[in-house]
Amino acid sequence: MPLVVGDTLHHRYRILNILGQGGMGSVYRAHDLNLGVDVAVKENLFTTEDYAAQFRLEATLLANLRHPNLPRVTDHFVLEEEGQYLVMDYIEGEDLRQILERRGVLPEDEVIRIGLAMCDALSYLHSRTPPVLHRDIKLGNVKIAPDGGIFLVDFGLAKIMQGDQPTMTAARAMTPGYSPPEQYGSARTDARSDIYSLGATLYAASTGFIPEDSLARAIDGLKLTPLLKRNAKISPQAAQAIEKALETTAANRYQNAQEFHDALMGAPVPAEKSPSAEAPTAAPVFPPDAEPASRPAATQRRRSLGWTPLLLAVLVAVASGLIYTNRALAPAEAETPSATNSLTATSPAATRTPTPSATATPRPSATPAQPIVIPPAQSPAPSPTLAPSPTPLPDGSGPFAFVSTRQGPPEIYLSPGSETQSLSSIAQGACQPAWSPDASQIAYVSPCHARAIEYPNASIFFYDLASKSNSVLPSVPGGDYDPAFSPDGEKLAFTSLRDGYAQIYVLDLKTQSLLRLVTTDKTQPVRQPVWSPDGAKIAYAQMRYGAWTIWTVGADGSSPAQLIRSGADANDFSPLWLKDGTTLLFTQNRRGETSPAFLIQYNLQTGKSSPLLPDRPVDEISLSPGGGWLLFRSSDGSNLDIYQLNLADLSVSRLTTDPAEDFDPVWQP
């Protein structure tokens, strides 16, 4: 039965208001009492056995979607004799219908940005296994967040595409003007059906008119009014691209979303006007500095984060010699960032970068995820008149990031001096921070609900300090984690579960090409990639005959070889190169044990290894910028904390003492 304001659904979601109603159910805004955030709840009142089974199947698939232009499905359940429910991120802002009512027809550059973002989202959905069709793209289901983020919402009618099986008519969305002919009745729909609906949405955004109904055009000979006839200001290239998507015969449309994306990229984008010049009293769809929605993986849709001022203030202060501490960096366990906040990056609109691919298989170019909420900076900004030469800090005393559970879910902290400050507040946790070599970006993993070795269904996110933007590595089913920048910052190595078990991939951040570094079978998973100082090799841990071993391979995937042979009873993992390139550190424990592990050094020239700290458990090691110190995670027997080690005299200092778990430490370059 329909819900009313004030009801508590499933003992967790308090209904705040009704966002929309239809014949099959309603969409509600609700408050998640467990996490303290607002969510959108999609209700379907059809509760037959067949519908319930189909709902569970499709809801499970939707819950694994991760893309910056899609809200994440966070929960789903069936209440017998009541309804089926999808719980999704609630996206603040207006939908396109509301924006058109307030502002009128959108300028071409904004229409193209929306189209590119939606094409990215559709490429991602259609590339799932099995493919996912949205089936109800229209003005009301495209939302623009206050920060300019573009979202395709309302997955209540999304369907799995399984072979040639037609979708039940009752489950179809048939919105006149937006639906292609095949979506009427019981004909088979596919990815091209979503392309038609997106074309209709862009047509309406460009002209203020919904295009003529497709069924009437296909059967009765009704003609589509040319877009230029309704808006003479739009370029012929953009009009042609949109009209091709509106062909009534599916074979005459773009055959996939990437083709539509490419056609929109070819349309000229006019220079952006000042928002005040067009609508003095109305907020623009995009902030003045917004970039096109289609971008390379490491630089996609812009999302502002509250931690930008904090990080910038810290970096400026460090460069100015204002922050000094002889404390070492503290390691922290990586936790999972909330998937409700998507992170994306920016890139020039006129340059199309190929989507990453492994063995010529295209990867979608966008990203899922959810935004990080960071408190405002508390550090005083440096005086604008102060301009001394930067004073280099002694090695082992610079800023470092780590992860802690001191406020509940794992969060990333920055410890630049005497004060440790939280950089994230994410319901699903954030973990495994990794700095780019020039300290311009931080990569991190989310979701991560607790410290772990593997992070299924996680994604790798990037935060760029200069552009104040976020991006996410294009996500595929499985999970990506263990990010590691190459020494030149041009590539990223990471562990992925996309093959069903842990394998290492290398992404070229410029070309977006993707390389599977080594190929092993399921009995020999690999993980924890780390680059040599010259970037020529990657060391990693590989399971072999039931024990973890240390291997190296060329950065191009050539000549994989086992480097260290500690015997069948030892697990070797977490490799780390020292600056000289001839010494490798790693941690070791006995086979079958999870802890404690001890620090071992290996000389690549002599082939000999020896314990470095034989009496202290060590894990998650990070090398200082100068190469003379280590950060690591250890325990006093009751608590996980961050420690530092002076490699010259092997003296150890404890850096954190909070009762919560601290882990995943990493020094800032």
Side-chain angles (χ1 to χ4, degrees):
M1 58 182 296
L3 300 168
V4 298
V5 174
D7 283 352
T8 298
L9 176 66
H10 207 44
H11 307 292
R12 177 171 177 176
Y13 305 105
R14 187 173 68 246
I15 304 301
L16 301 179
N17 59 281
I18 299 175
L19 300 175
Q21 290 179 308
M24 298 175 64
S26 300
V27 181
Y28 305 89
R29 182 175 181 175
H31 188 71
D32 186 332
L33 300 176
N34 287 1
L35 300 180
V37 297
D38 285 359
V39 295
V41 179
K42 175 74 175 182
E43 172 190 66
N44 180 9
L45 298 179
F46 284 81
T47 57
T48 66
E49 184 175 344
D50 289 342
Y51 270 102
Q54 182 75 1
F55 169 84
R56 289 189 177 94
L57 173 65
E58 294 169 358
T60 300
L61 187 145
L62 294 176
N64 285 291
L65 298 179
R66 299 289 187 278
H67 191 281
N69 301 116
L70 303 175
R72 198 172 66 90
V73 173
T74 56
D75 197 4
H76 55 86
F77 48 91
V78 176
L79 299 181
E80 299 298 330
E81 299 182 2
E82 291 188 34
Q84 305 161 351
Y85 299 91
L86 283 176
V87 181
M88 296 169 281
D89 302 332
Y90 176 73
I91 307 300
E92 296 279 357
E94 295 178 293
D95 60 45
L96 286 186
R97 178 184 50 80
Q98 295 169 322
I99 292 172
L100 260 67
E101 290 174 352
R102 178 171 57 81
R103 290 182 52 193
V105 170
L106 300 184
E108 181 177 341
D109 57 339
E110 294 183 5
V111 172
I112 290 177
R113 289 192 186 97
I114 292 168
L116 292 174
M118 294 299 94
C119 284
D120 284 344
L122 291 180
S123 289
Y124 175 79
L125 290 172
H126 298 164
S127 66
R128 300 306 89 205
T129 304
V132 177
L133 306 182
H134 186 280
R135 302 181 51 75
D136 197 23
I137 303 170
K138 56 186 178 183
L139 291 174
N141 282 342
V142 178
K143 292 197 73 172
I144 310 299
D147 63 355
I150 306 168
F151 293 87
L152 177 59
V153 301
D154 194 348
F155 279 84
L157 290 158
K159 288 294 166 188
I160 299 172
M161 191 168 65
Q162 297 175 315
D164 295 326
Q165 178 183 0
T167 304
M168 291 176 293
T169 302
R172 292 171 176 265
M174 291 173 290
T175 306
Y178 294 95
S179 299
E182 66 269 21
Q183 207 157 321
Y184 292 80
S186 58
R188 181 181 184 272
T189 55
D190 58 22
R192 296 170 297 182
S193 305
D194 279 348
I195 290 170
Y196 183 100
S197 298
L198 176 56
T201 301
L202 300 183
Y203 182 103
S206 302
T207 67
F209 292 86
I210 298 174
E212 286 81 359
D213 184 70
S214 66
L215 196 60
R217 291 169 56 211
I219 297 177
D220 300 330
L222 184 66
K223 299 295 184 182
L224 175 70
T225 301
L227 198 152
L228 282 169
K229 186 175 181 179
R230 285 178 163 162
N231 182 359
K233 294 182 179 180
I234 197 165
S235 69
Q237 296 95 322
Q240 182 179 6
I242 293 171
E243 289 171 0
K244 181 176 175 63
L246 287 169
E247 290 284 348
T248 56
T249 301
N252 294 336
R253 298 174 210 147
Y254 302 107
Q255 298 304 289
N256 55 62
Q258 186 62 51
E259 290 183 5
F260 195 5
H261 176 284
D262 293 350
L264 291 172
M265 286 291 287
V269 180
E272 292 183 12
K273 299 178 181 179
S274 168
S276 60
E278 182 175 348
T281 61
V285 176
F286 302 93
D289 61 345
E291 294 289 336
S294 175
R295 307 170 170 86
T299 55
Q300 204 154 14
R301 181 176 46 79
R302 178 165 302 186
R303 307 269 303 172
S304 63
L305 291 183
W307 64 344
T308 302
L310 171 60
L311 285 177
L312 290 176
V314 168
L315 294 177
V316 172
V318 170
S320 303
L322 299 179
I323 297 177
Y324 177 83
T325 172
N326 55 12
R327 297 176 55 201
L329 303 187
E333 284 293 335
E335 295 298 344
T336 57
S338 159
T340 57
N341 291 330
S342 308
L343 312 178
T344 50
T346 60
S347 72
T351 303
R352 177 179 174 270
T353 305
T355 53
S357 59
T359 62
T361 301
R363 284 169 55 80
S365 64
T367 46
Q370 299 177 317
I372 294 182
V373 180
I374 310 293
Q378 300 175 359
S379 302
S383 168
T385 60
L386 184 65
S389 301
T391 302
L393 297 178
D395 187 36
S397 60
F400 64 93
F402 67 100
V403 178
S404 179
T405 61
R406 57 190 64 184
Q407 294 186 33
E411 296 179 6
I412 297 174
Y413 287 77
L414 184 68
S415 188
S418 59
E419 295 295 325
T420 297
Q421 302 183 43
S422 173
L423 297 183
S424 66
S425 180
I426 304 167
Q428 293 185 327
C431 61
Q432 293 191 330
W435 290 90
S436 63
D438 61 0
S440 67
Q441 294 187 77
I442 295 178
Y444 59 94
V445 172
S446 178
C448 26
H449 301 284
R451 183 175 59 88
I453 295 175
E454 291 189 345
Y455 293 96
N457 300 318
S459 295
I460 296 173
F461 294 83
F462 302 86
Y463 175 71
D464 186 274
L465 279 73
S467 65
K468 305 176 184 178
S469 62
N470 288 268
S471 62
V472 60
L473 187 70
S475 179
V476 298
D480 298 333
Y481 51 96
D482 290 344
F485 284 97
S486 61
D488 59 10
E490 295 183 356
K491 296 181 179 180
L492 184 83
F494 61 95
T495 304
S496 179
L497 298 175
R498 65 190 64 197
D499 304 296
Y501 59 104
Q503 294 283 270
I504 294 173
Y505 284 80
V506 175
L507 174 68
D508 189 307
L509 296 172
K510 289 186 175 180
T511 67
Q512 296 297 290
S513 59
L514 191 67
L515 169 70
R516 181 170 171 174
L517 193 64
V518 293
T519 300
T520 65
D521 61 35
K522 293 183 178 181
T523 65
Q524 299 185 38
V526 297
R527 70 186 193 196
Q528 298 173 333
V530 59
W531 297 81
S532 62
D534 60 5
K537 289 186 176 182
I538 292 176
Y540 59 96
Q542 176 175 333
M543 175 71 75
R544 189 166 176 82
Y545 303 119
W548 289 99
T549 56
I550 303 296
W551 290 58
T552 60
V553 63
D556 59 358
S558 61
S559 306
Q562 186 172 346
L563 181 65
I564 300 167
R565 300 180 184 275
S566 300
D569 293 332
N571 282 316
D572 298 338
F573 46 91
S574 298
L576 177 69
W577 300 83
L578 294 191
K579 293 287 187 179
D580 60 10
T582 63
T583 305
L584 194 76
L585 303 181
F586 63 96
T587 56
Q588 182 183 90
N589 65 8
R590 307 312 300 171
R591 181 173 176 177
E593 295 180 352
T594 56
S595 62
F598 295 92
L599 186 63
I600 309 294
Q601 63 178 348
Y602 176 83
N603 189 302
L604 281 79
Q605 295 177 332
T606 65
K608 295 182 178 180
S609 60
S610 58
L612 197 60
L613 286 178
D615 300 324
R616 179 181 293 274
V618 171
D619 203 355
E620 297 168 358
I621 52 180
S622 173
L623 187 66
S624 65
W629 295 73
L630 288 183
L631 287 176
F632 63 93
R633 187 204 78 202
S634 189
S635 172
D636 60 1
S638 60
N639 197 54
L640 290 178
D641 285 301
I642 306 303
Y643 294 75
Q644 72 174 5
L645 168 68
N646 186 332
L647 291 173
D649 59 14
L650 300 185
S651 59
V652 174
S653 303
R654 184 175 180 177
L655 302 182
T656 66
T657 58
D658 194 278
E661 291 188 343
D662 295 339
F663 52 98
D664 283 352
V666 57
W667 249 303
Q668 177 185 319

PDB file of all heavy atoms in Angstrom, residues 603-619:
ATOM      1  N   ASN A 603      68.575  -7.977  -0.869  1.00  0.00           N
ATOM      2  CA  ASN A 603      69.550  -7.341  -1.749  1.00  0.00           C
ATOM      3  C   ASN A 603      69.473  -7.988  -3.123  1.00  0.00           C
ATOM      4  O   ASN A 603      69.762  -9.172  -3.278  1.00  0.00           O
ATOM      5  CB  ASN A 603      70.960  -7.472  -1.165  1.00  0.00           C
ATOM      6  CG  ASN A 603      71.979  -6.648  -1.933  1.00  0.00           C
ATOM      7  OD1 ASN A 603      72.166  -6.816  -3.131  1.00  0.00           O
ATOM      8  ND2 ASN A 603      72.655  -5.763  -1.220  1.00  0.00           N
ATOM      9  N   LEU A 604      69.072  -7.227  -4.134  1.00  0.00           N
ATOM     10  CA  LEU A 604      68.887  -7.780  -5.469  1.00  0.00           C
ATOM     11  C   LEU A 604      70.207  -8.164  -6.121  1.00  0.00           C
ATOM     12  O   LEU A 604      70.236  -8.988  -7.042  1.00  0.00           O
ATOM     13  CB  LEU A 604      68.152  -6.781  -6.371  1.00  0.00           C
ATOM     14  CG  LEU A 604      66.632  -6.682  -6.187  1.00  0.00           C
ATOM     15  CD1 LEU A 604      66.278  -5.836  -4.977  1.00  0.00           C
ATOM     16  CD2 LEU A 604      65.962  -6.094  -7.412  1.00  0.00           C
ATOM     17  N   GLN A 605      71.327  -7.590  -5.655  1.00  0.00           N
ATOM     18  CA  GLN A 605      72.624  -7.902  -6.251  1.00  0.00           C
ATOM     19  C   GLN A 605      73.201  -9.199  -5.697  1.00  0.00           C
ATOM     20  O   GLN A 605      73.747 -10.020  -6.444  1.00  0.00           O
ATOM     21  CB  GLN A 605      73.595  -6.742  -6.018  1.00  0.00           C
ATOM     22  CG  GLN A 605      73.172  -5.455  -6.736  1.00  0.00           C
ATOM     23  CD  GLN A 605      74.098  -4.296  -6.439  1.00  0.00           C
ATOM     24  OE1 GLN A 605      74.733  -4.226  -5.379  1.00  0.00           O
ATOM     25  NE2 GLN A 605      74.191  -3.360  -7.390  1.00  0.00           N
ATOM     26  N   THR A 606      73.048  -9.407  -4.388  1.00  0.00           N
ATOM     27  CA  THR A 606      73.609 -10.618  -3.787  1.00  0.00           C
ATOM     28  C   THR A 606      72.583 -11.744  -3.689  1.00  0.00           C
ATOM     29  O   THR A 606      72.955 -12.909  -3.500  1.00  0.00           O
ATOM     30  CB  THR A 606      74.141 -10.312  -2.375  1.00  0.00           C
ATOM     31  OG1 THR A 606      73.041  -9.951  -1.524  1.00  0.00           O
ATOM     32  CG2 THR A 606      75.146  -9.167  -2.415  1.00  0.00           C
ATOM     33  N   GLY A 607      71.285 -11.398  -3.787  1.00  0.00           N
ATOM     34  CA  GLY A 607      70.245 -12.416  -3.656  1.00  0.00           C
ATOM     35  C   GLY A 607      70.024 -12.871  -2.231  1.00  0.00           C
ATOM     36  O   GLY A 607      69.376 -13.904  -2.004  1.00  0.00           O
ATOM     37  N   LYS A 608      70.520 -12.095  -1.261  1.00  0.00           N
ATOM     38  CA  LYS A 608      70.396 -12.485   0.140  1.00  0.00           C
ATOM     39  C   LYS A 608      69.346 -11.628   0.842  1.00  0.00           C
ATOM     40  O   LYS A 608      69.173 -10.456   0.543  1.00  0.00           O
ATOM     41  CB  LYS A 608      71.744 -12.344   0.849  1.00  0.00           C
ATOM     42  CG  LYS A 608      72.811 -13.299   0.323  1.00  0.00           C
ATOM     43  CD  LYS A 608      74.106 -13.145   1.104  1.00  0.00           C
ATOM     44  CE  LYS A 608      75.162 -14.139   0.604  1.00  0.00           C
ATOM     45  NZ  LYS A 608      76.446 -14.004   1.352  1.00  0.00           N
ATOM     46  N   SER A 609      68.645 -12.257   1.799  1.00  0.00           N
ATOM     47  CA  SER A 609      67.644 -11.549   2.588  1.00  0.00           C
ATOM     48  C   SER A 609      67.948 -11.719   4.062  1.00  0.00           C
ATOM     49  O   SER A 609      68.566 -12.708   4.478  1.00  0.00           O
ATOM     50  CB  SER A 609      66.236 -12.062   2.269  1.00  0.00           C
ATOM     51  OG  SER A 609      66.135 -13.443   2.551  1.00  0.00           O
ATOM     52  N   SER A 610      67.492 -10.730   4.863  1.00  0.00           N
ATOM     53  CA  SER A 610      67.724 -10.790   6.304  1.00  0.00           C
ATOM     54  C   SER A 610      66.658  -9.973   7.005  1.00  0.00           C
ATOM     55  O   SER A 610      66.140  -8.998   6.452  1.00  0.00           O
ATOM     56  CB  SER A 610      69.119 -10.247   6.651  1.00  0.00           C
ATOM     57  OG  SER A 610      69.251  -8.905   6.201  1.00  0.00           O
ATOM     58  N   PRO A 611      66.319 -10.348   8.268  1.00  0.00           N
ATOM     59  CA  PRO A 611      65.321  -9.576   9.020  1.00  0.00           C
ATOM     60  C   PRO A 611      65.843  -8.176   9.314  1.00  0.00           C
ATOM     61  O   PRO A 611      67.033  -7.986   9.600  1.00  0.00           O
ATOM     62  CB  PRO A 611      65.139 -10.388  10.304  1.00  0.00           C
ATOM     63  CG  PRO A 611      65.687 -11.741   9.991  1.00  0.00           C
ATOM     64  CD  PRO A 611      66.780 -11.527   8.996  1.00  0.00           C
ATOM     65  N   LEU A 612      64.941  -7.197   9.243  1.00  0.00           N
ATOM     66  CA  LEU A 612      65.332  -5.823   9.540  1.00  0.00           C
ATOM     67  C   LEU A 612      64.905  -5.427  10.945  1.00  0.00           C
ATOM     68  O   LEU A 612      65.640  -4.755  11.663  1.00  0.00           O
ATOM     69  CB  LEU A 612      64.716  -4.865   8.513  1.00  0.00           C
ATOM     70  CG  LEU A 612      65.332  -3.475   8.418  1.00  0.00           C
ATOM     71  CD1 LEU A 612      66.810  -3.566   8.040  1.00  0.00           C
ATOM     72  CD2 LEU A 612      64.586  -2.627   7.387  1.00  0.00           C
ATOM     73  N   LEU A 613      63.693  -5.824  11.343  1.00  0.00           N
ATOM     74  CA  LEU A 613      63.196  -5.599  12.705  1.00  0.00           C
ATOM     75  C   LEU A 613      62.671  -6.929  13.225  1.00  0.00           C
ATOM     76  O   LEU A 613      61.469  -7.180  13.221  1.00  0.00           O
ATOM     77  CB  LEU A 613      62.086  -4.549  12.718  1.00  0.00           C
ATOM     78  CG  LEU A 613      62.474  -3.086  12.530  1.00  0.00           C
ATOM     79  CD1 LEU A 613      61.225  -2.212  12.524  1.00  0.00           C
ATOM     80  CD2 LEU A 613      63.430  -2.623  13.621  1.00  0.00           C
ATOM     81  N   PRO A 614      63.541  -7.813  13.676  1.00  0.00           N
ATOM     82  CA  PRO A 614      63.104  -9.173  14.016  1.00  0.00           C
ATOM     83  C   PRO A 614      62.164  -9.271  15.202  1.00  0.00           C
ATOM     84  O   PRO A 614      61.473 -10.278  15.356  1.00  0.00           O
ATOM     85  CB  PRO A 614      64.433  -9.888  14.307  1.00  0.00           C
ATOM     86  CG  PRO A 614      65.389  -8.801  14.672  1.00  0.00           C
ATOM     87  CD  PRO A 614      64.991  -7.618  13.867  1.00  0.00           C
ATOM     88  N   ASP A 615      62.089  -8.215  16.031  1.00  0.00           N
ATOM     89  CA  ASP A 615      61.291  -8.312  17.249  1.00  0.00           C
ATOM     90  C   ASP A 615      59.999  -7.490  17.204  1.00  0.00           C
ATOM     91  O   ASP A 615      59.315  -7.373  18.220  1.00  0.00           O
ATOM     92  CB  ASP A 615      62.125  -7.859  18.460  1.00  0.00           C
ATOM     93  CG  ASP A 615      63.362  -8.717  18.649  1.00  0.00           C
ATOM     94  OD1 ASP A 615      63.258  -9.939  18.383  1.00  0.00           O
ATOM     95  OD2 ASP A 615      64.410  -8.174  19.020  1.00  0.00           O
ATOM     96  N   ARG A 616      59.666  -6.930  16.044  1.00  0.00           N
ATOM     97  CA  ARG A 616      58.485  -6.066  15.988  1.00  0.00           C
ATOM     98  C   ARG A 616      57.635  -6.414  14.769  1.00  0.00           C
ATOM     99  O   ARG A 616      58.148  -6.454  13.644  1.00  0.00           O
ATOM    100  CB  ARG A 616      58.892  -4.597  15.919  1.00  0.00           C
ATOM    101  CG  ARG A 616      57.692  -3.644  15.823  1.00  0.00           C
ATOM    102  CD  ARG A 616      58.144  -2.203  15.745  1.00  0.00           C
ATOM    103  NE  ARG A 616      58.762  -1.792  16.996  1.00  0.00           N
ATOM    104  CZ  ARG A 616      58.112  -1.321  18.043  1.00  0.00           C
ATOM    105  NH1 ARG A 616      56.786  -1.222  18.004  1.00  0.00           N
ATOM    106  NH2 ARG A 616      58.737  -0.962  19.133  1.00  0.00           N
ATOM    107  N   PRO A 617      56.340  -6.681  14.951  1.00  0.00           N
ATOM    108  CA  PRO A 617      55.476  -6.927  13.795  1.00  0.00           C
ATOM    109  C   PRO A 617      55.312  -5.655  12.968  1.00  0.00           C
ATOM    110  O   PRO A 617      55.158  -4.563  13.510  1.00  0.00           O
ATOM    111  CB  PRO A 617      54.151  -7.366  14.422  1.00  0.00           C
ATOM    112  CG  PRO A 617      54.178  -6.791  15.800  1.00  0.00           C
ATOM    113  CD  PRO A 617      55.607  -6.787  16.224  1.00  0.00           C
ATOM    114  N   VAL A 618      55.363  -5.815  11.637  1.00  0.00           N
ATOM    115  CA  VAL A 618      55.330  -4.678  10.719  1.00  0.00           C
ATOM    116  C   VAL A 618      54.421  -5.019   9.545  1.00  0.00           C
ATOM    117  O   VAL A 618      54.454  -6.138   9.023  1.00  0.00           O
ATOM    118  CB  VAL A 618      56.744  -4.336  10.190  1.00  0.00           C
ATOM    119  CG1 VAL A 618      56.666  -3.293   9.082  1.00  0.00           C
ATOM    120  CG2 VAL A 618      57.636  -3.844  11.318  1.00  0.00           C
ATOM    121  N   ASP A 619      53.616  -4.031   9.111  1.00  0.00           N
ATOM    122  CA  ASP A 619      52.804  -4.226   7.906  1.00  0.00           C
ATOM    123  C   ASP A 619      52.523  -2.866   7.288  1.00  0.00           C
ATOM    124  O   ASP A 619      52.681  -1.832   7.945  1.00  0.00           O
ATOM    125  CB  ASP A 619      51.489  -4.938   8.254  1.00  0.00           C
ATOM    126  CG  ASP A 619      50.884  -5.653   7.051  1.00  0.00           C
ATOM    127  OD1 ASP A 619      51.438  -5.521   5.946  1.00  0.00           O
ATOM    128  OD2 ASP A 619      49.857  -6.326   7.225  1.00  0.00           O
TER     129      ASP A 619
END
